[in-house]
Amino acid sequence: MRIIGHIDMDAFFASVEERDNSRFKGRPLVVGADPKGGKGRGVVSTANYKAREYGIRSAMPISEAWRLSEVARKKGMPPAIFCEVNGKKYSEVSRRIMKLIAQVIPIVEQTSIDEAYLDLSFLGSYEEAQKIAEQLKVTIKKVERLTTTVGIGPNRLMAKIATEMQKPDGLTIIREEEAEKILEPLSLRVIPGIGPKTQTMFARQGMRLVKDAKNLTQEGLKDLCGKWGEDLYEKLRGRDYSPVGIEMEIKSVGEQETFAIDTMNPAFIAERLQVLSQAVVMRLKREGFENFRRAVLTVRFRDFQTKTRSRTFSEPISSGETLNFEAMRLLMAFLDGRENPQKKTIRLVGIRVEELS
Ligand code: TTP
Ligand code: MG
């Protein structure tokens, strides 16, 4: 019998900041870019649960979060506190938590800075799995003063869904025989792999819930989704055979942007590179890495010719500013004759980091 656990820290970045700053206690807290009185650019990394009551969410523009906080303030509720991202600190906390988990569970697969899958099959029963999960929650609370949510199920899919069912500080168990029925009334979005695009595609055909898509045959799903349809057919029924413990190798992290208009305006491109650099470093940290040793700049010209230039550092680098500086240096060759003798306008730029640690 397989028993799989999924563990996810609650409002991770915000909880660490609340823990470390007594003046944040009990207040709505937003971790992310500087809001600059509503004029700030960049996004929310995460918000604690109090700030989520105002509608503030991860990846929302920080200016929008500011606006929502102002709305709350005008209604007499406490405004949100805004706090910058301390990526290095969260990576360290994450590493310590993963160590605590590894002390009691032999097969652990970390999938992001605050998330991991646990193979609990060796415990032999859901009762034992529940006990170890409870223990783990207590240990993390005691050692790190942070709360976690755990889901337990017959496979990865159901373990993750169990986690989502009761947050924060939750522990939910879904047994194999309940899995299929629990999934049926849920939105198709709960199935990993169904993103906004696939969801829209299903919605156009009148399918919104898992149970709606269960009317399709395996062939029908394959027509809609390609080869992945076979896998999806199983997932819609709560079945997922993917193992825990085979770490998906993340070799690089990158972001790119296609401009609304092809351009050669250095100030505009520089500004976009800065935003991209920050986004790349943020994602790097989120994937559980601290450093990179190579920066790669991609430029696509108006005629779709695409070129890259890279720089490898002798030391591991962790800062977004250094990445931005390097990206700017690499960009120069595309603005003068070296990489762009015909002075073609630029359609897209991308930044990628490699050799991660
Ligand atoms: P999540 O586990 O998705 O979110 P969370 O831990 O803040 O909240 P929850 O209680 O719902 O689990 O992400 C973990 C951390 O990753 C989060 O604290 C901040 C960071 N993050 C971003 O920086 N940007 C994002 O868009 C998301 C989703 C997360
Ligand atoms: Mg989390």
Side-chain angles (χ1 to χ4, degrees), residues 8-14 44-47 49 52 58-59 112-115 167-168 282 286:
D8 185 341
M9 305 299 299
D10 300 323
F12 184 47
F13 294 3
V44 173
S45 279
T46 196
Y49 280 74
R52 289 182 200 189
S58 287
S112 87
I113 192 162
D114 81 329
E115 232 177 301
K167 263 183 173 187
M282 218 144 96
R286 215 161 80 216

Side-chain angles (χ1 to χ4, degrees), residues 8-258:
D8 185 341
M9 305 299 299
D10 300 323
F12 184 47
F13 294 3
S15 304
V16 173
E17 296 299 347
E18 273 184 85
R19 176 192 76 177
D20 294 350
N21 298 279
S22 53
R23 67 190 177 91
F24 296 168
K25 278 268 146 33
R27 295 281 305 268
L29 177 68
V30 179
V31 181
D34 183 348
K36 297 192 178 144
K39 296 197 176 66
R41 298 171 56 91
V43 295
V44 173
S45 279
T46 196
N48 69 359
Y49 280 74
K50 279 227 164 68
R52 289 182 200 189
E53 287 170 18
Y54 297 173
I56 300 172
R57 296 282 182 276
S58 287
M60 169 183 281
I62 201 78
S63 53
E64 174 69 2
W66 178 269
R67 197 187 60 77
L68 290 167
S69 162
E70 285 298 291
V71 169
R73 190 175 60 82
K74 284 174 191 148
K75 285 188 194 152
M77 295 184 278
I81 295 181
F82 289 81
C83 165
E84 64 172 17
V85 179
N86 292 298
K88 201 166 170 197
K89 176 155 84 173
Y90 316 138
S91 299
E92 277 163 19
V93 176
S94 164
R95 247 191 290 272
R96 288 202 300 267
I97 290 169
M98 294 302 158
K99 268 195 193 148
L100 290 176
I101 299 172
Q103 276 170 10
V104 282
I105 298 158
I107 303 177
V108 178
E109 178 182 334
Q110 185 177 354
T111 47
S112 87
I113 192 162
D114 81 329
E115 232 177 301
Y117 287 90
L118 324 171
D119 194 335
L120 305 176
S121 312
F122 74 102
L123 295 164
S125 74
Y126 276 91
E127 289 72 27
E128 286 302 309
Q130 174 171 356
K131 266 191 219 152
I132 209 157
E134 279 163 357
Q135 252 174 38
L136 203 52
K137 278 164 63 77
V138 169
T139 307
I140 295 172
K141 183 89 183 274
K142 207 163 78 191
V143 178
E144 290 291 338
R145 287 185 293 129
L146 295 170
T147 62
T148 49
T149 293
V150 180
I152 295 175
N155 53 49
R156 296 171 70 114
L157 167 72
M158 295 313 301
K160 169 111 179 160
I161 284 168
T163 305
E164 301 298 329
M165 289 176 82
Q166 211 184 330
K167 263 183 173 187
D169 203 12
L171 171 57
T172 304
I173 296 173
I174 299 177
R175 288 162 188 266
E176 188 157 19
E177 58 275 19
E178 317 167 295
E180 190 164 0
K181 280 279 164 288
I182 286 179
L183 270 184
E184 280 184 351
L186 302 182
S187 158
L188 279 166
R189 268 309 282 283
V190 304
I191 308 278
I194 298 194
K197 273 194 201 145
T198 319
Q199 186 186 23
T200 310
M201 186 189 69
F202 276 108
R204 276 207 208 99
Q205 319 219 12
M207 291 176 273
R208 209 168 52 78
L209 307 178
V210 170
K211 68 163 179 264
D212 303 334
K214 278 175 79 176
N215 295 323
L216 294 168
T217 61
Q218 214 163 7
E219 283 310 310
L221 278 169
K222 264 208 301 206
D223 290 344
L224 268 178
C225 307
K227 192 149 173 37
W228 182 63
E230 277 175 38
D231 204 24
L232 182 56
Y233 182 87
E234 297 296 318
K235 289 213 163 96
L236 292 171
R237 287 156 181 79
R239 299 192 288 256
D240 172 14
Y241 307 102
S242 48
V244 169
I246 299 173
E247 300 258 358
M248 272 206 296
E249 200 181 345
I250 303 172
K251 291 204 189 80
S252 70
V253 170
E255 296 280 347
Q256 60 180 42
E257 177 172 324
T258 304

